[in-house]
Amino acid sequence: MSTVGNSTNIFWQESPVGKLERQKLLNQKGCVVWITGLSGSGKSTLACSLSRELYTRGKLSYILDGDNLRHGLNKDLGFKADDRTENIRRVGEVAKLFADAGLICIASLISPYRKDRDACRAMLPDANFVEVFMNMPLELCEARDSKGLYKLARAGKIKGFTGIDDPYEPPLKCEIEIQQKDGDCPTPGAMAGEVVSYLEEKGYLQDH
Amino acid sequence: MATNGKATNIVWHKSSVGKLHRQELLQQKGCVIWITGLSGSGKSTLACALCQALYSRGKLTYILDGDNVRHGLNRDLSFKAEDRAENIRRIGEVAKLFADAGLICIASVISPYRRDRDACRTLLPEGDFIEVFMDVPLQICESRDPKGLYKLARAGKIKGFTGIDDPYEPPLNCELVLPQKGNNYASPCEMAETVISFLEEKGFLQA
């Protein structure tokens, strides 16, 4: 019997079919690809093209998109700092479950605070956490303003908007950094290719 | 732009790889098998047997066990009524994601309150939520007492323990009741096969 957080008398239930068996079935290794960056930096775009690239290679992935999750699991959370932290924590825990299930779980969230992203990294065993930083300048993201949010934020209609009046803390040491080259953004296909190469190199696209 | 619950300015992002693609890849249809019942009624045992039997048929499953989820995602929740409701809500939402991902997601949770289970049912497309009631009398569960919890509850050392001093509301209209009538001594494997026959009949074991 153990005391876990707020619950007592919780036991760990073992299953005969574990991560290794699922990996064998899927011919891949579960992991979390955590895509972080400002609003409009291209996270969801990369998530979609990555998912497609993986599918064409017969690999199973699933996208946990910050916006989509806020429609369901995280519908009770807002954008205050502690709600953002709880949002990230829950996404991290769910991503961990998906990785354990053998999937390549693509989490696509602003996730602006370094401490929260690092906490998610710590949740994953065996370094199965691949942090991808969409390092696009604020000016570019704002010029895109794909959801019209920067305009609202500048007009003071949204408070605490990341990049305008709430901080974004870039990763200090991430696995992949996506940047402009000579002022040009890489295409979604090129970005996905870079992540797939990394996953291949690290052995995630096969079962050992 | 949608105003949704506590968060405003949320846009729904479509993904180009969808549920149908994943079904094709896995050669199965995602769903949620929600196993409910008293502590000691055999939920985890059935979940494991089912998982094993489906694996041997080449099907991908994942178990969301109430206890296990309380180690991670739901570690901030207690057993007070409102926390039980939130525990079930979150497990329902996560199970929905797994089903969308194409997996046969087996949720194994006491989930004592009817309203909370029914709320999870509404999260999924019709037919994709398969409620399995472990209909085992309290006396039998208590005599098993696999985790020693009934003993503690009877001694007053645990408060609000389901079946002792907190209610269990059985389903009124679930897909499967186990063990089946007249088969009180069905083994976990036999019960797993009953679930599998149901899944097969409903088309979940093919794309």
Side-chain angles (χ1 to χ4, degrees):
Chain A
M1 242 154 344
S2 63
T3 302
V4 182
N6 272 334
S7 303
T8 53
N9 306 310
I10 309 299
F11 291 74
W12 188 265
Q13 307 291 335
E14 290 293 349
S15 166
V17 176
K19 194 171 178 181
L20 293 176
E21 285 76 20
R22 289 186 289 265
Q23 280 174 184
K24 201 169 158 192
L25 187 62
L26 291 170
N27 197 22
Q28 63 186 56
K29 285 206 198 63
C31 63
V32 175
V33 177
W34 190 281
I35 309 173
T36 177
L38 293 171
S39 177
S41 57
K43 300 183 295 299
S44 300
T45 304
L46 171 56
C48 287
S49 64
L50 177 57
S51 177
R52 201 166 42 239
E53 276 302 312
L54 288 168
Y55 180 76
T56 61
R57 284 168 171 72
K59 302 304 169 191
L60 184 67
S61 66
Y62 193 68
I63 299 175
L64 296 178
D65 184 287
D67 276 1
N68 292 2
L69 283 166
R70 281 177 176 278
H71 274 83
L73 175 68
N74 293 346
K75 69 157 77 99
D76 59 320
L77 303 175
F79 286 96
K80 297 181 341 259
D82 40 9
D83 275 4
R84 282 191 200 259
T85 294
E86 177 61 5
N87 181 49
I88 299 312
R89 185 193 75 83
R90 288 189 200 169
V91 175
E93 290 284 5
V94 175
K96 177 179 178 175
L97 294 173
F98 271 89
D100 188 53
L103 281 78
I104 295 163
C105 182
I106 306 163
S108 164
L109 301 96
I110 298 176
S111 47
Y113 309 136
R114 205 172 283 137
K115 186 181 73 165
D116 297 337
R117 295 190 309 260
D118 290 348
C120 290
R121 181 186 285 277
M123 285 176 201
L124 270 294
D126 308 320
N128 291 327
F129 186 87
V130 180
E131 192 173 14
V132 180
F133 173 35
M134 301 299 292
N135 189 8
M136 299 297 163
L138 175 64
E139 303 74 28
L140 173 72
C141 299
E142 191 164 358
R144 284 173 177 168
D145 206 3
S146 29
K147 298 185 261 184
L149 300 176
Y150 284 96
K151 188 174 175 186
L152 290 172
R154 290 288 186 196
K157 292 186 179 157
I158 310 176
K159 298 282 181 247
F161 188 72
T162 303
I164 304 296
D165 61 345
D166 203 74
Y168 179 80
E169 299 170 351
L172 300 173
K173 195 171 180 225
C174 57
E175 281 70 23
I176 300 173
E177 188 172 330
I178 307 276
Q179 299 181 294
Q180 291 177 300
K181 284 186 176 61
D182 306 316
D184 284 328
C185 286
T187 62
M191 295 192 293
E194 194 176 335
V195 180
V196 170
S197 296
Y198 179 91
L199 293 175
E200 211 150 32
E201 193 189 325
K202 297 294 178 184
Y204 288 107
L205 303 190
Q206 60 196 52
D207 146 59
H208 265 132
Chain B
M1 240 152 351
T3 303
N4 182 70
K6 290 188 78 171
T8 53
N9 305 310
I10 307 300
V11 173
W12 188 267
H13 288 283
K14 291 206 195 317
S15 166
S16 53
V17 172
K19 194 172 177 179
L20 292 175
H21 292 101
R22 291 185 288 263
Q23 276 175 196
E24 194 56 46
L25 188 60
L26 291 171
Q27 287 296 296
Q28 63 187 54
K29 287 197 189 67
C31 61
V32 174
I33 299 171
W34 191 279
I35 308 174
T36 177
L38 293 171
S39 177
S41 58
K43 301 183 296 299
S44 300
T45 306
L46 173 61
C48 287
L50 187 51
C51 183
Q52 180 78 49
L54 285 167
Y55 177 76
S56 68
R57 284 167 169 78
K59 301 306 170 195
L60 184 67
T61 66
Y62 196 67
I63 299 176
L64 294 177
D65 185 286
D67 275 1
N68 292 1
V69 179
R70 279 179 178 277
H71 272 82
L73 175 67
N74 292 349
R75 72 157 76 97
D76 59 319
L77 303 175
S78 70
F79 285 96
K80 297 186 334 258
E82 58 266 36
D83 278 5
R84 281 192 199 258
E86 178 63 4
N87 181 49
I88 298 312
R89 184 193 77 82
R90 289 187 200 170
I91 292 175
E93 290 284 4
V94 175
K96 174 184 178 171
L97 295 173
F98 271 100
D100 189 54
L103 281 78
I104 295 165
C105 182
I106 305 163
S108 164
V109 219
I110 297 176
S111 48
Y113 309 135
R114 206 172 281 138
R115 189 184 64 173
D116 298 336
R117 294 192 308 262
D118 290 347
C120 290
R121 181 184 284 277
T122 63
L123 295 175
L124 279 110
E126 178 137 12
D128 288 0
F129 184 87
I130 299 155
E131 191 174 13
V132 178
F133 172 39
M134 301 302 291
D135 187 9
V136 178
L138 176 64
Q139 300 85 334
I140 295 183
C141 296
E142 191 164 357
S143 69
R144 288 173 181 170
D145 207 2
K147 299 184 263 187
L149 299 176
Y150 283 97
K151 189 173 173 184
L152 291 173
R154 291 288 186 196
K157 291 185 178 159
I158 309 176
K159 299 279 182 245
F161 188 72
T162 304
I164 303 297
D165 59 345
D166 204 73
Y168 179 81
E169 300 169 352
L172 299 172
N173 196 13
C174 59
E175 281 69 21
L176 287 169
V177 178
L178 294 171
Q180 293 179 302
K181 268 192 160 52
N183 196 13
N184 281 329
Y185 299 101
S187 67
C189 288
E190 285 170 327
M191 292 194 285
E193 286 303 320
T194 304
V195 180
I196 289 177
S197 297
F198 182 90
L199 293 174
E200 217 145 32
E201 192 190 325
K202 299 292 181 183
F204 286 104
L205 303 190
Q206 57 198 56

